[in-house]
Amino acid sequence: QNEGIIVFSNIISALDKIGSKCMMHLTKEKINFAVLMSESYEQDVSAYADLNVPDIFGEWRIESQCDNCIFLEFTLKNLTDALNSAKKAPVCSLKLTKRAGQPCICIETKAMEVNVAHDMPVKCMRASEYDYYMPPQMSKQDVQLELPISKTLKHVIERSRTLSKNVIIDGHQTGQMAVRIETDAVAIRSFFSDLRPRMENMEDEDMNNTASVKVDAKKLAMVLNCYNVRHESIIMCLVHETNLVICVTLAPRATGVMTFFIPCISMDESDHARGGG
């Protein structure tokens, strides 16, 4: 099996859970993806992947009239389906070509002397449009915690979404976190302790920092599908009542990173009272 294609396919599958339209920026060293659940990343989930080409592809060549950069838009499901069929092939290649004047990414596989080609229509974008699809500037994080290796949090969120539309996450930089749902009918809290505090990119390294965010449970569950991708670590960054960011360092470490931005829902007085905040 082609290990690089398996890694690449799993990353694409995780992005596919977020939205259907994908932007892909190609350079000689990097592949960058941007996926927006809706047209506004300020109001909905957005996902980004920054991948290092040499750690995924055995051979890579790119040429264009725009400083050897190519910017494309396409439907993720088309690429997901093509890569799923390519996972078991020992040889797989991706080529940008044209079919009857339509730009396409051609995924070619070869196994047992049988060649199979999938043509995926794409739209060529102007390089100047790439700035709009860059990741948003991250606010100063109040709390950063490395999530457990097990999928316990993912299972908690999936159960919670059947009981409540929203979940509240309370984080403490000492390594404590609580997930709570509170409705007129039910109040449930799940506690996580001994999480590893992460101090990278934090302006205030006070271990007494706390933060609470309220988010859509279904959307958070979709983001936590990142657990299905081989990774070194998953870090949850909380900006109090403003933003929730999930940062995934892929494995092996040099492969790249995935980042998910989840906007928060305004918390009311009852949310604070119940949370003790």
Side-chain angles (χ1 to χ4, degrees):
Q1 291 185 341
N2 189 322
E3 184 67 22
I5 287 298
I6 293 174
V7 172
F8 190 61
S9 176
N10 290 341
I11 292 168
I12 296 302
S13 295
L15 294 174
D16 191 23
K17 297 292 192 298
I18 304 303
S20 60
K21 186 175 78 171
C22 180
M23 317 304 294
M24 179 168 65
H25 188 251
L26 309 172
T27 69
K28 286 188 173 182
E29 298 82 23
K30 296 273 190 180
I31 305 177
N32 295 97
F33 292 97
V35 181
L36 308 184
M37 187 173 282
S38 66
E39 291 301 316
S40 174
Y41 63 75
E42 294 180 351
Q43 299 175 7
D44 223 326
V45 177
S46 57
Y48 304 86
D50 183 350
L51 309 180
N52 296 313
V53 166
D55 292 277
I56 296 177
F57 296 98
E59 182 180 348
W60 181 262
R61 186 175 69 218
I62 180 169
E63 295 178 359
S64 78
Q65 296 178 350
C66 187
D67 295 326
N68 294 324
C69 297
I70 297 174
F71 187 33
L72 305 172
E73 176 186 324
F74 59 91
T75 300
L76 265 173
K77 188 178 186 304
N78 294 338
L79 182 57
T80 302
D81 292 344
L83 290 174
N84 282 338
S85 65
K87 281 183 179 181
K88 296 182 180 180
V91 178
C92 179
S93 64
L94 281 73
K95 299 177 182 178
L96 180 61
T97 184
K98 281 191 176 183
R99 298 282 190 259
Q102 167 67 54
C104 293
I105 291 179
C106 180
I107 296 95
E108 296 181 344
T109 60
K110 183 176 181 181
M112 302 295 290
E113 303 303 321
V114 177
N115 295 330
V116 179
H118 296 266
D119 290 334
M120 184 186 76
V122 299
K123 178 183 177 182
C124 295
M125 307 288 286
R126 293 191 300 270
S128 59
E129 296 178 273
Y130 179 55
D131 287 347
Y132 176 77
Y133 296 96
M134 295 283 286
Q137 291 292 322
M138 291 179 64
S139 305
K140 179 182 72 69
Q141 293 84 20
D142 296 309
V143 174
Q144 285 187 166
L145 300 171
E146 184 171 331
L147 296 182
I149 296 175
S150 69
K151 295 182 180 180
T152 307
L153 176 62
K154 184 173 184 293
H155 297 325
V156 167
I157 299 301
E158 287 175 347
R159 287 198 303 270
S160 298
R161 59 178 284 198
T162 65
L163 301 171
S164 174
K165 184 179 188 316
N166 304 317
V167 297
I168 297 173
I169 298 175
D170 304 308
H172 198 294
Q173 191 61 23
T174 55
Q176 312 297 314
M177 183 176 71
V179 177
R180 53 188 168 104
I181 58 172
E182 285 146 354
T183 68
D184 293 336
V186 64
I188 300 175
R189 294 192 188 197
S190 300
F191 295 94
F192 297 81
S193 59
D194 299 322
L195 301 179
R196 180 185 174 193
R198 298 294 292 258
M199 311 305 292
E200 300 94 323
N201 303 316
M202 291 188 67
E203 294 180 13
D204 181 4
E205 298 186 359
D206 188 347
M207 295 298 287
N208 291 317
N209 279 359
T210 62
S212 296
V213 293
K214 183 178 182 179
V215 296
D216 185 298
K218 181 179 178 180
K219 293 176 181 178
L220 179 55
M222 283 190 276
V223 168
L224 291 177
N225 279 296
C226 63
Y227 263 102
N228 298 329
V229 180
R230 282 183 57 195
H231 57 273
E232 299 255 339
S233 65
I234 300 178
I235 301 173
M236 178 176 282
C237 309
L238 293 87
V239 182
H240 186 60
E241 295 190 39
T242 304
N243 217 348
L244 176 63
V245 183
I246 305 291
C247 300
V248 183
T249 300
L250 301 168
R253 184 174 295 274
T255 304
V257 297
M258 299 176 71
T259 309
F260 301 84
F261 291 81
I262 309 170
C264 293
I265 300 165
S266 296
M267 296 175 65
D268 55 34
E269 291 185 6
S270 63
D271 293 326
H272 291 291
R274 291 166 178 167

